[in-house]
Amino acid sequence: MFKQFKSIKALALAGAVSLSTSVYAPNVNPPAPQAPVVAGGGISQSAANQLNTALGTDKTSSSVVTAPTTMAVGVRKVIGLVGALAAGAHAAMQGNAADAAAADAAAPAADGGVKVAGAAGSATKRASVWTRVSHGALDNTTSGQEWNGHSYLAMIGADFRFNSVFCAGLGVSYNRIDARTEFNKGTQKSDSFGINPYLIVAPHKNVYFEFVGGLSWDKGTDTRRMSGIEIDQTTWSNSTKSTNLFAGAFVNFVNTINKANFGLQLGYLTMQKKTGAFGETSSNAAYSKSSNSQVANTYEAQTATAKVKAGYQITPSVAPFLTLHTEYDVKENKGVSYQGSPAYKVGRSAFGGGGGVNLKSDDSLSGSMEFDYSKRGNLNTYVTAVRVHYGF
């Protein structure tokens, strides 16, 4: 009788877990969790994994929770990327070196980490090479979902101006994220390599278009710890891989009045992040049943953007600038949600601004120093960057 009672109790517990625990992932329909009885009673490893994930962010791998936020930061990076590439190239294609330098002063914009130099406005150099390094500080203050970290970016690239209308180029990038995920007492580290082709079309001296695409590959590691004195020193870890795609189109309206220049940019971005399935390992075998497994996920967002910019050519070599920008996710950027715990929130709209100074040595060598701030809901991003460009 006692053994039968234990079996009935185990089946009831397993059934309750199976009915009450499920995870929603965008564009993914994972199978319902199974909870067969195991030796000695209790639930299977698979059911335990589903239960831990469903309990909330504090028992979930870091990258699963932060993926929508890192996508949002990626949007900021793309906006900065295209802004600097095109303004100087457009003015240079109009054949006026002075206007080119002024347009380059207006180009820099908030980028969350990856704005790079493009054709810096040389009216005599058709080809150019450029590099950019930046540091971004990220801080998410959402209650119960706090995390913060650093993003380090390095990019190199080149472009070529075919004629007064078309300019094309390619950039390659390396990005490092090193974050502390306070919501699960853990860490998140990732390395990303990417390629970014772009095309600039300048049909008129006051209007030009930018088209940009990108593909990158991420590889990282997560760690987390669970609340509770008896397991506070137990660490769960996992390795992650993801592939990221984006495409964007932008139209720019520019004008120059004496030494001052002004611009308005409107754009549309579509982004996708695909993460692979993975399982955690525990540093303490006694708590291996609390290790999570995660199915593959696909995160998507489509974002409308707007930016205004202004610059002033103080001398032929010095041009300070200011910029304001805003974004709105036309297709909402959703993350994984949890039963019994609030979903991890990503702001649907963002705004920010920044400034800096462009420096030009001659018709070949130029560069800039800049700072930008961006706020997306409870996510705050601070970026400091340096770029160098050389035309030949």
Side-chain angles (χ1 to χ4, degrees), residues 244-262:
N244 310 288
L245 289 166
F246 75 82
F250 302 82
V251 58
N252 296 267
F253 306 93
V254 297
N255 192 27
T256 300
I257 303 175
N258 297 323
K259 293 184 178 182
N261 53 82
F262 308 92

Side-chain angles (χ1 to χ4, degrees), residues 14-15 17-19 21 30-38 43-51:
V17 171
S18 178
L19 290 173
T21 60
Q34 302 298 315
V37 178
V38 296
I43 58 176
S44 70
Q45 182 68 56
S46 175
N49 293 340
Q50 296 286 352
L51 175 60

Side-chain angles (χ1 to χ4, degrees), residues 100-126:
D104 193 47
D111 64 23
V114 301
K115 194 176 80 59
V116 297
S122 169
T124 61
K125 313 295 183 181
R126 297 186 64 181

Side-chain angles (χ1 to χ4, degrees), residues 184-362:
N184 64 2
K185 299 182 180 180
T187 62
Q188 179 185 354
K189 301 179 186 295
S190 68
D191 297 286
S192 175
F193 296 89
I195 55 175
N196 300 102
Y198 55 91
L199 173 68
I200 301 164
V201 182
H204 189 273
K205 68 177 183 178
N206 298 119
V207 180
Y208 63 94
F209 300 89
E210 308 163 35
F211 304 93
V212 62
L215 173 63
S216 62
W217 300 267
D218 298 342
K219 185 176 181 180
T221 57
D222 299 338
T223 66
R224 70 178 178 89
R225 292 189 297 161
M226 195 182 298
S227 300
I229 296 176
E230 74 281 3
I231 56 175
D232 192 50
Q233 300 305 314
T234 300
T235 301
W236 288 265
S237 60
N238 62 271
S239 298
T240 63
K241 291 183 179 180
S242 65
T243 302
N244 310 288
L245 289 166
F246 75 82
F250 302 82
V251 58
N252 296 267
F253 306 93
V254 297
N255 192 27
T256 300
I257 303 175
N258 297 323
K259 293 184 178 182
N261 53 82
F262 308 92
L264 168 66
Q265 181 190 80
L266 302 175
Y268 198 86
L269 282 166
T270 179
M271 301 185 69
Q272 182 184 84
K273 183 181 185 74
K274 290 187 175 182
T275 62
F278 62 83
E280 289 183 323
T281 59
S282 173
S283 63
N284 189 331
Y287 300 102
S288 60
K289 288 187 177 181
S290 294
S291 299
N292 284 326
S293 60
Q294 180 64 41
V295 297
N297 285 296
T298 299
Y299 304 87
E300 295 179 335
Q302 295 179 16
T303 304
T305 74
K307 177 179 65 179
V308 294
K309 55 190 177 183
Y312 189 82
Q313 198 74 34
I314 296 178
T315 72
S317 299
V318 179
F321 58 85
L322 294 173
T323 171
L324 295 173
H325 52 81
T326 184
E327 299 86 47
Y328 179 76
D329 289 342
V330 178
K331 179 174 182 178
E332 190 173 2
N333 182 10
K334 295 182 178 180
V336 175
S337 59
Y338 308 89
Q339 289 189 352
S341 177
Y344 180 77
K345 296 183 181 298
V346 181
R348 193 164 184 173
S349 60
F351 67 90
V357 60
N358 278 272
L359 304 172
K360 194 173 183 68
S361 174
D362 51 37

Side-chain angles (χ1 to χ4, degrees), residues 51-229:
L51 175 60
N52 285 336
T53 304
L55 286 176
T57 57
D58 63 326
K59 297 180 178 62
T60 304
S61 299
S62 302
S63 60
V64 175
V65 179
T66 63
T69 293
T70 54
M71 252 190 91
V73 172
V75 172
R76 297 285 340 120
K77 294 181 177 182
V78 175
I79 292 172
L81 170 67
V82 294
L85 293 171
H90 164 258
M93 285 188 282
Q94 307 309 307
N96 186 308
D99 288 346
D104 193 47
D111 64 23
V114 301
K115 194 176 80 59
V116 297
S122 169
T124 61
K125 313 295 183 181
R126 297 186 64 181
S128 66
V129 293
W130 46 260
T131 184
R132 173 182 172 87
V133 293
S134 68
H135 168 260
L138 313 174
D139 186 20
N140 190 342
T141 60
T142 302
S143 178
Q145 302 171 358
E146 299 92 340
W147 69 280
N148 59 80
H150 300 272
S151 174
Y152 306 91
L153 176 103
M155 290 195 77
I156 59 172
D159 53 36
F160 183 80
R161 202 165 67 239
F162 296 96
N163 50 39
S164 63
V165 178
F166 296 100
C167 177
L170 178 69
V172 296
S173 66
Y174 165 74
N175 190 56
R176 168 77 173 183
I177 292 180
D178 191 347
R180 182 180 64 179
T181 51
E182 298 171 355
F183 58 83
N184 64 2
K185 299 182 180 180
T187 62
Q188 179 185 354
K189 301 179 186 295
S190 68
D191 297 286
S192 175
F193 296 89
I195 55 175
N196 300 102
Y198 55 91
L199 173 68
I200 301 164
V201 182
H204 189 273
K205 68 177 183 178
N206 298 119
V207 180
Y208 63 94
F209 300 89
E210 308 163 35
F211 304 93
V212 62
L215 173 63
S216 62
W217 300 267
D218 298 342
K219 185 176 181 180
T221 57
D222 299 338
T223 66
R224 70 178 178 89
R225 292 189 297 161
M226 195 182 298
S227 300
I229 296 176

